[in-house]
Each structure stands twice: as structure tokens, then as C-alpha cells.
């Protein structure tokens, strides 16, 4: 059985890209973990069921979307056969066999899938050129708006905008702005969840030159909404560093309106200070303009550990 699966602690791009690629490949979409409130909202809005929870790759052909990092893949991914990767992150995976590996530095994996569809190129990666239904278009549009934070993230490219407008047309959504605001509203309900869930929703693990680094992110419309939970979040992260053997954990509270992130740094926080040439106060700092983990947090840390 062919399974399309995104990263652990799934986000809207991972889930929507999995569902749409599964549709084009006559495969089954899977999810690794619980959906966040924004993704739940999107699936309800377009009347698409949640993908099944997948915990093992054994006996499956795996199409990985929205990740290329072993620590974010199925734990036993080597028991299955990874046949395809479609992603917009840095290359963090080595397979023993040649595979179809399509990476493009755009704002969302959904943008790549939309480009394949609109350019009649799905056949190039072994998928079928089926018709894009309004539901499927709606999912891809949601994924682009979510990953680019309504085109505000520095990861946003011209292709993301072009594809979003084509998808909106196909989905019958004529006001992208208004729809994007609905998504933001759904996303912001995350602050009402327990501190444990807030930490886990968008937490990613990286292997940086042998160092286990965790980077979590929560996007909020108003960072003040999260202030009362910050101390508990820090306590959870402190425990996580010790219990799970992290060298360092960075947790970014990204204020999508102020366009910046408050970072909380636990573990060997002096690594962070050196990598970013920044002084932390009580393990925290506000970083103006920082919205993207992939583009603004991961690269300086990779660079630091490469030379450390
Ligand atoms: Mg993602
Ligand atoms: Mg993505
Ligand atoms: Mg993200």
C-alpha cells in the first residue's frame, strides 16, 4: 500500500499536502499525530475527513511530503520503502536507493503540488493528472496561506501568490484576505489549549552535526494572550531538555501582526547567543522580523554547530 505522510506534529501544509497527493497518486493519506485547531477547521470547512494515524512504515511504500528530516519522519521509515519526497525544507535525508526527490524553496509544499497540477506535470513524479476538485483546491490554498502566514513570512515567493490565486479560483473562494483571516482566527484558538499541547503542536527535532536540537513554534495573533502560560511552557521545556536529552530547545512565540518572535531558549542557551550574536535575558529575547523557523532559525544554528 502506498501511503503519503507528512512530518510529526502535523501542520496544515503537511496534512493538506498529504491528502491532495494521496488523491493524485491513488494512495492513502496518513498523519503522524494530532491535528492542530487550524487544520481541523480547514478539514471541516471543506468536508474532508482526517487522515488515519500512521505509526509504522512497515510493508508500505512511503511518499514523504513537507519534510526531509529523519527525526521528523516515521520512526521505522527504513522498514518501509521511501519512494518519493516532495518538500520545501533543506535536505536532511539520505536514502540508499535513488528516489523521486522534488524540493523547491517556496512557501509551502502545497505550492509545489499546485504547480505540478497547473503545469500538467504530475505524471513526471508518477502521479495522475486528475481534475483538481474544489475541495482539493481549498486544501492546497489553506496550506499556502497557513505556511506563509498570509504571505507575510519571509519564505513567501511569487509562486506562492500565483498558485494561491489560481487555487482560490478553483475552490470558489473570491476573497482570499477574508478567508485568510478565518484561518488566523482558527489558528489563534491554540492559546486556549493546555501548555503541553501548545508546546507539542509544532515542535520539530533536528540533528545538527550530532547535536539534538528542538525548535518549537506557536503562531499567535497577539503574543499577550499567551503570557500567563509562558512560565508553565518554560517549565515543560526545561523538563523536556533533561528527559529527552536535548542539547538545546528553542521555542518561538511568533506574533503574526507584530511580525517578530519571542524566543525562549532552554538547555545550552549560550549556543543560541553565539549563533545569533544576541544577548538573552532570563533565557528569552524578542527577535524583530523573525517569523520562519526554516529560513531564520535553523540556518544560523546549523552553521554554528557545523563549526562548533
Ligand atoms: Mg510543515
Ligand atoms: Mg510546509
Ligand atoms: Mg510551519
Amino acid at each position: 500500500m502506498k501511503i503519503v505522510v507528512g512530518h510529526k506534529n502535523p501542520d496544515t501544509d503537511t496534512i493538506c499536502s498529504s491528502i491532495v497527493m494521496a488523491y493524485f497518486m491513488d494512495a492513502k493519506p496518513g498523519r503522524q499525530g494530532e491535528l492542530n485547531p487550524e487544520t481541523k477547521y480547514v478539514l471541516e470547512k471543506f468536508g474532508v475527513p482526517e487522515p488515519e494515524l500512521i505509526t509504522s512504515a512497515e510493508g508500505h511504500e512511503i511518499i514523504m511530503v513537507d519534510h526531509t528530516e529523519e527525526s521528523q519522519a516515521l520512526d521505522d521509515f527504513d522498514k518501509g520503502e521511501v519512494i518519493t519526497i516532495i518538500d520545501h525544507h533543506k535536505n536532511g535525508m539520505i536514502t540508499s536507493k535513488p528516489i523521486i526527490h522534488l524540493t523547491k524553496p517556496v512557501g509551502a509544499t502545497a505550492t509545489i503540488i499546485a504547480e505540478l497540477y497547473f503545469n500538467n506535470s504530475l505524471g513526471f513524479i508518477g502521479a495522475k493528472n486528475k481534475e483538481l476538485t474544489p475541495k482539493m483546491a481549498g486544501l492546497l490554498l489553506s496550506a499556502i496561506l497557513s505556511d506563509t502566514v498570509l504571505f507575510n513570512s519571509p519564505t513567501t515567493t511569487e509562486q506562492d501568490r500565483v498558485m494561491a490565486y489560481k487555487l482560490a479560483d478553483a475552490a470558489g473562494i473570491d476573497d482570499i484576505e477574508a478567508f485568510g483571516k478565518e484561518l488566523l482566527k482558527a489558528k489563534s484558538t491554540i492559546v486556549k489549549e493546555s501548555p503541553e499541547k501548545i508546546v507539542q503542536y509544532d515542535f520539530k527535532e533536528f540533528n545538527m552535526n550530532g547535536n539534538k536540537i528542538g525548535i518549537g513554534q506557536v503562531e499567535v495573533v497577539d503574543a499577550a494572550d499567551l503570557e500567563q502560560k509562558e512560565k508553565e511552557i518554560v517549565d515543560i521545556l526545561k523538563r523536556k531538555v533533561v528527559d529527552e536529552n536535548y542539547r538545546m530547545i528553542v521555542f518561538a512565540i511568533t506574533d503574526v501582526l507584530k511580525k517578530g518572535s519571542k524566543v525562549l531558549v532552554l538547555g545550552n542557551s549560550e549556543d543560541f547567543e553565539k549563533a545569533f550574536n544576541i544577548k538573552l535575558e532570563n533565557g528569552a529575547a524578542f527577535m524583530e522580523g523573525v517569523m520562519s523557523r526554516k529560513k531564520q532559525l535553523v540556518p544560523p544554528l546549523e552553521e554554528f554547530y557545523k563549526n562548533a
Side-chain angles (χ1 to χ4, degrees):
M1 180 78 198
K2 274 187 197 167
I3 288 184
V4 186
V5 70
H7 54 75
K8 286 176 178 153
N9 301 331
D11 57 18
T12 299
D13 187 29
T14 256
I15 294 297
C16 294
S17 292
S18 299
I19 294 171
V20 178
M21 268 329 288
Y23 166 73
F24 283 130
M25 299 194 83
D26 290 333
K28 205 168 98 175
R31 65 180 162 89
Q32 295 198 69
E34 200 191 324
L35 303 190
N36 68 39
E38 181 200 58
T39 312
K40 280 187 185 156
Y41 171 82
V42 168
L43 296 190
E44 262 166 44
K45 166 145 186 126
F46 294 103
V48 177
E50 279 193 17
E52 223 174 85
L53 184 70
I54 305 275
T55 52
S56 172
E58 204 165 349
H60 298 302
E61 288 184 309
I62 306 288
I63 295 124
M64 286 172 44
V65 294
D66 200 36
H67 67 304
T68 317
E69 199 81 36
E70 284 183 14
S71 50
Q72 295 161 20
L74 285 160
D75 289 333
D76 66 349
F77 72 90
D78 47 349
K79 286 195 185 142
E81 193 187 353
V82 176
I83 56 169
T84 303
I85 300 174
I86 307 168
D87 189 25
H88 66 133
H89 296 86
K90 74 184 170 64
N91 190 352
M93 183 123 169
I94 291 161
T95 57
S96 52
K97 283 189 207 163
I99 61 162
I100 295 171
H101 189 169
L102 184 55
T103 315
K104 190 167 176 176
V106 288
T109 300
T111 300
I112 305 172
I113 299 171
E115 285 194 282
L116 289 169
Y117 172 78
F118 287 115
N119 292 321
N120 280 313
S121 305
L122 280 159
F124 177 68
I125 57 154
K128 293 183 179 159
N129 261 316
K130 290 188 198 176
E131 198 202 330
L132 186 73
T133 62
K135 279 184 185 192
M136 295 295 130
L139 295 188
L140 292 179
L141 170 65
S142 306
I144 296 173
L145 294 175
S146 169
D147 255 21
T148 64
V149 197
L150 297 193
F151 310 127
N152 280 310
S153 166
T155 56
T156 310
T157 66
E158 190 50 32
Q159 291 102 299
D160 299 308
R161 288 175 211 275
V162 172
M163 289 303 129
Y165 280 90
K166 283 191 176 214
L167 290 165
D169 206 31
I173 288 171
D174 25 63
D175 192 343
I176 285 195
E177 277 290 305
F179 177 57
K181 291 212 175 101
E182 278 177 50
L183 287 184
L184 270 187
K185 215 173 123 195
K187 182 178 274 192
S188 64
T189 62
I190 219 165
V191 298
K192 299 198 187 90
E193 306 266 355
S194 70
E196 285 82 6
K197 277 192 173 178
I198 292 171
V199 165
Q200 209 49 41
Y201 270 132
D202 190 6
F203 190 88
K204 288 185 180 176
E205 180 190 323
F206 298 86
N207 177 343
M208 298 191 182
N209 200 16
N211 298 286
K212 187 177 172 183
I213 307 299
I215 310 179
Q217 186 173 25
V218 61
E219 288 159 337
V220 291
V221 180
D222 185 0
D225 294 345
L226 211 60
E227 253 157 34
Q228 325 94 287
K229 288 183 180 164
E230 234 175 79
K231 201 194 154 312
E232 270 180 278
I233 289 173
V234 167
D235 288 341
I236 291 166
L237 295 171
K238 262 187 199 157
R239 255 179 283 139
K240 202 171 170 69
V241 164
V242 177
D243 294 350
E244 297 172 34
N245 252 314
Y246 280 95
R247 174 157 180 96
M248 182 173 75
I249 289 180
V250 180
F251 191 75
I253 299 168
T254 302
D255 192 316
V256 303
L257 297 182
K258 275 193 201 133
K259 296 190 184 169
S261 298
K262 178 173 185 181
V263 291
L264 311 172
V265 188
L266 294 303
N268 285 71
S269 57
E270 63 278 8
D271 292 359
F272 191 90
E273 294 190 314
K274 285 179 200 151
F276 291 90
N277 195 15
I278 194 175
K279 194 88 200 110
L280 297 169
E281 259 173 73
N282 292 323
F286 184 79
M287 297 172 84
E288 200 82 52
V290 170
M291 297 184 79
S292 166
R293 166 173 45 204
K294 174 173 44 247
K295 207 166 177 174
Q296 295 166 298
L297 293 175
V298 172
L301 290 172
E302 289 274 8
E303 194 57 30
F304 172 78
Y305 288 112
K306 205 169 76 192
N307 304 315

